[in-house]
Amino acid sequence: MTASPVTQTRSTCPYCGVGCGVIIEAQDGQITGVQGDPLHPANFGKLCTKGSTLHLTASAAVTRQTRLLQPLQRLQRDGPAVPVAWDSALDTASDQLARIITAHGPDAVGFYLSGQLLTEDYYAFNKLVKGLIGSNNLDTNSRLCMSSAVAGYKATLGADAPPACYEDLEKAQCVFLVGSNAAWAHPILFRRLEAAKAANPALKVIVADPRRTDTASLADLFLPIAPGTDVLLFQGMLHLMLARGWVDRAYIAAHTTGFDTLESLVATATPARVSQECGISEQDLLQAAQWFAQSPATLSLYCQGLNQSSSGTAKNAALINLHLATGQIGKPGAGPLSLTGQPNAMGGREVGGMANLLSGHRDLGNAAHRAEVAALWGVTDVPAKPGKTAVEMFEAAADGEIKALWIACTNPAQSMPDQRTVQRALERAELVVVQEAFTTTETARHAHILLPATTWGEKVGTVTNSERRISRVRAAVPASGAARHDWQIAVQLAHRLEARLRPGQPTLFPYPVEPADAGAQALWEEHRASTAGRDLDITGLSWAQLEQAPQQWPLPAGAAQGKARLYEDGVFPTADGKARFHAAPYQPLAEPVDAEFPFALTTGRLRDQWHGMSRTGTLGRLFSHAAEPRLHMHPQDMAQQDLGEGELVQLTSRRGTLMVALQSDAQLAPTRMFMPMHWGSEFLSGRAADGQRLLGINALTQPAFCPVSKQPELKHTAVTVRKVALPWSLLAMAWLPAERVLEVRQALSALMGHFEFATCVPFSNQVPLSAAAQTRSGVLLRACAHQPPAAEVLQQIEQLLGLAGDQVIRYNDRRRQQTRALQVVRGDQDALRLEAMLLTGDTSAGAWLSQLLAQEMDPPQPSHLMLTQGATPPTGTKARSPQVCSCMNVTLDSIVQTLSQCPGNDGERLLQLQQRLGCGTQCGSCIPELKRHVQTTAVVRFHEPLNA
C-alpha cells in the first residue's frame, strides 16, 4: 500500500508563553516531525529542546502507552477504571453535578482548569460555570502562574495588558531580569536577548535573583538578593533615583497619580537598609538604579520569582512603579513585560477564566461588568459572590464545603502547594471528574470519571502569548482514540445540564460540535464580541485574518493591525486616563527561616522539562541534562552538615517531608536550597514513617498566598535537612522496547510505596535527532529501605525488566541480603551487551554497571566480574561524562577536550567549539553553560620541536 504524502500544518507550541510557531509534519494520520515556523514572529523558526522534540511525544508508541483514549469510570473509589461510552460518562457526570447543585447549591461544585487550554475551551467553561450553573467557583492553574502579574498591571496601569513586545529586546539599551531564569524557562526569548547583546555590546543586562542561574551568565550586573526582598530592592532603587534626580518629573505630573505617597514610603528604603536586608552592596544598588533610570530605553522581564509570592502583587507593582517614575514605558525598548509561564494563560485571562474575572477583562466585583456579561450570555445575572481561587477551592473541598471537582488539563495532585490538603480534597469529594489527555498523571488516580481530551497536534482554536499575540492552533492529525476537544466536552456537558437545571429554555450553547473548526470559530467570535470597547478590543480581527498570520491585540474595528506597544500617548485605561503609583510597604516572607527550619528552599524549572512532565516525561532523552531528582545545596552547607554528593537526605517543612539525593551547587548562596518543581510523586516517592505515601516536592511548599492576587508563595519554603541511613538499597535498569518502556515505568512507579525512598525515571542513549539515528529507551528504578521488601515485589520488578531466561546471570548472597541479576545478550558482530540489571542490598557496583548499560559499552572480561566486582570498576570502565547539549548529545568531556585546543578570545573559542562539535547550534539552550566552560577551560599549548 502506497503511503500518503507528508502534510505540513502550521500551529503553536504547547509549552511556555513565548508562543512559538511550529510546523507539524504528518503522514497517514501520525505526527512524524516538527520544525520551527520561520514566519512566526515569536520565534522565527527557532525551537528549544522541548519544542524540537514535540513530535516524539506524539509517536504511536507514546500515545498507546500514556494517552487516555476512551472514557473511564470507577464504580468504587479505589477500584479499577473501566471503559464506558461517552454518553454514559457525560450522563453520569451531569446527573451527579445536578444532584449536588440541587441539594447543596451551585457553590458546592468547583471547576479547576489550565493555562494550557485554548481560548475557546476557556470561554465555553466560563459560560458553563458562571452563566449556566451560577457559581464563580472556576479557577485555573494560572493562579499559580500569572495572577500576581495580572493584579500588578491592574493596580498600576489600569488593565491586564503587558505594554511591551518581543521586538523591544532588540531596541532596549538596558534589560532588567527579575525572578526569571529565562535561559531555561523561556529559552527562545533568551536567545534573542543574547543576539541583541552581541549586536549591541553597550546593552546593559541586570539580573536579580537569589540563585545564580544560567540567565545570570549574560548579566553585566548580578544582584543575588535574599529571597522575598524584591519590593525593598525596587524601593531602594527608587530612593536613589529620587536622591540623584533621575526620575522624570514631567512624565509623573502629566501621566500618573499617587507619586507623593510613594515618595514618602521609599524614604525609608535607604541604601544601607537595602544593602543589609537584600544582601547586596550599596554600589551595586546604585549601579542598577543608574542604568535603569538613565538608559535611553529600559525593558524589564520578570516571571515566577515575582509572581509566586505572598507579596506578589506588591512586587509586580513596585517594579512597574520604576518604569512610571522614569518614563520608561510606552516607547520602543522600554516597559514592563511579564513572561507568561503557560501557553495560553493570557488567553484565559482575556475570557475571564479565573474566579475573580469575567469575559473581556471585566471584573467580577463590578456590577456593571456582570450585567454586560449576563446580557451577552442571555442569562438573568452573573452571581456576585466571589469564587474560590485555587488554594481556597481545594481547602474548601478538603473541608467538605465543595463536593464536586471538575479538573481539566491540569494535575493539581502534583502542582498545588501543601499536597496533603489537595489529597484530602480529592479523597473527600463526592465527585471528581478529570478531563485529561494522559492517563499517567497523579490526579487521574483520584478520578471517579476520566474523560479523554485532545492535545497538541489534534486541537483546534487560538492561544495568546506574552506579547498579546493571538495565534492559531490547528489539528495536524485526527483525535487519538475517542478523545474530544475540551470545548466540545464543556458544550456537551452544558447541553445535559440545561435539560436538568433549566428545562424547556433555549440553549445558551448554540455552537456546532462538528465540524470542530466551525465550533471553535463560533466560540471565538462570541469572545471577540465581548471585547468591544475594552482594552483588549479585537472587534477588527477576523477568523480569516488569524488564518493568515498571528495578530496582536488590541485590534479594534477599523484598525489595520494590532498595537505592538501600549500607552505610547501616555493615556492609560483608568477613570482619569492616568497610571497609578502603588504604594505598598515591604513585607517579609510568609514563612521565614528559623532555628527549627533554617534553610530557604526555592523551586523552579529544569531546562528540558515542563511542569508535571506528563508530556516531556515520556522521553528519556529529555532526562539527559538532569537524569534524576536532586536537591541542590551549597557545598559549604553540605560540609557543615557532614553531607556528601549523592547522599540521601530527608527534607522537611511544616507541611510534609520527602527523601531525595543531594547535589552540590555553588551557584546557590549558603543556607539556600533549590529543587525543580517537576518532581512529583509520579517520579519521586516512597513511604513515610506513618505508612503514608510520599508526595513529591509540593508536599513541602506552602499555601500562604498574596491577599490581592491569591497566588501562593511557591518560591519560598522554610525547611530542615538531615542525613538518612537506609541500609538496604536497590538499583534496577533496563533497555526496553519503545512500545513497552512507558508502561513498565508506570508499573514500576506503582511499586515505589514498598520502599522508604524511590525514584523511577526513563533514560535513553541520547542520539542526536536525525533520520539515521536509532534511539533506544530504558527505565531506571532506584530505591532504599530499612528492610528488603517482600520477595514477590522483587520478582515483579524482575518480570517487568525482562530478567528471565538463559541470558540472565545471577549472584545471590542470602546471608548479606545481596543479589545481582544481569541480562547479557549477544548483539551485532557477536558483541556482548548488558541489557538489564537488578542489584539489591549492596548496590555500590551500580555506579559503573549503569554506565556499561547506558553507554552500551563492552562488558569486562571475564563476564563474571560484573557479578563479583565491588564499587571499584574493572580496568577500562569509565564513568559517563555529563551531557551538556541534548540536541547533539555532546558531553562535558568532549567540550573540555575540544576547548583545550581552541585559542582566541571567549567569543572565538565558543564559535570554534560549536563548529567542531555542533553543540549550541540547534535550540541554543546550552549556550550559557558552554560559555561558562569557555571561561574555565584553559588552552593547552603544544610547542613545535626545534629544527635540527
Side-chain angles (χ1 to χ4, degrees), residues 87 90 124 151 169 185 242 299 327 329-330 332 404 424 441 454 492 539 580 617 652 660 666 708 716 718 761 801 924:
D87 284 343
L90 288 172
L169 288 163
L242 286 162
L299 177 72
I329 191 170
R424 285 199 305 274
T441 69
T454 54
Q492 290 170 326
T539 52
R580 301 180 290 257
T652 303
V660 64
V708 179
H716 181 269
V761 295
L801 298 182

Side-chain angles (χ1 to χ4, degrees), residues 684-697:
L684 173 66
S685 189
R687 182 180 60 223
D690 59 3
Q692 291 193 72
R693 184 163 161 263
L694 297 179
L695 297 175
I697 179 61

Side-chain angles (χ1 to χ4, degrees), residues 489-725:
I489 299 171
V491 168
Q492 290 170 326
L493 173 66
H495 290 162
R496 286 166 167 80
L497 284 176
E498 284 180 317
R500 291 158 174 80
L501 301 179
R502 54 194 310 268
Q505 298 185 54
T507 182
L508 303 176
F509 299 82
Y511 319 109
V513 174
E514 294 291 351
D517 274 328
Q521 181 177 349
L523 282 159
W524 182 82
E525 287 178 345
E526 188 172 314
H527 156 58
R528 179 183 65 180
S530 79
T531 69
R534 305 292 300 163
D535 65 291
L536 72 164
D537 193 328
I538 54 170
T539 52
L541 178 60
S542 69
W543 190 259
Q545 284 174 285
L546 277 179
E547 280 291 321
Q548 298 303 311
Q551 298 287 342
Q552 285 178 283
W553 61 255
L555 204 165
Q561 62 183 27
K563 287 182 68 68
R565 296 173 189 85
L566 306 182
Y567 318 134
E568 292 170 303
D569 56 0
V571 177
F572 296 86
T574 58
D576 59 4
K578 293 186 176 184
R580 301 180 290 257
F581 282 101
H582 187 76
Y586 163 64
Q587 298 288 339
L589 293 160
E591 187 180 74
V593 297
D594 56 24
E596 185 180 3
F597 296 95
F599 293 98
L601 172 70
T602 190
T603 60
R605 300 179 191 273
L606 289 172
R607 190 189 74 185
D608 298 343
Q609 296 293 353
W610 172 251
H611 286 195
M613 303 195 292
S614 56
R615 182 184 297 279
T616 55
T618 63
L619 300 181
R621 64 177 296 112
L622 292 181
F623 287 77
S624 301
H625 190 247
E628 296 179 64
R630 289 288 185 269
L631 171 66
H632 295 240
M633 191 176 188
H634 192 278
Q636 174 182 309
D637 293 329
M638 291 174 63
Q640 289 176 348
Q641 300 286 320
D642 192 27
L643 297 170
E645 184 79 15
E647 281 193 332
L648 195 62
V649 296
Q650 180 172 292
L651 186 65
T652 303
S653 77
R654 289 179 172 85
R655 286 153 300 280
T657 189
L658 60 80
M659 292 187 192
V660 64
L662 270 183
Q663 180 173 326
S664 174
D665 188 348
Q667 304 302 311
L668 291 165
T671 75
R672 299 176 196 168
M673 294 176 172
F674 170 75
M675 189 164 168
M677 59 178 276
H678 316 284
W679 299 120
S681 54
E682 298 101 294
F683 296 92
L684 173 66
S685 189
R687 182 180 60 223
D690 59 3
Q692 291 193 72
R693 184 163 161 263
L694 297 179
L695 297 175
I697 179 61
N698 281 317
L700 278 63
T701 52
Q702 57 173 317
F705 52 67
C706 170
V708 179
S709 71
K710 305 292 183 76
Q711 183 159 0
E713 193 158 84
L714 286 161
K715 281 296 178 185
H716 181 269
T717 300
V719 295
T720 187
V721 63
R722 69 175 180 85
K723 186 182 295 190
V724 175

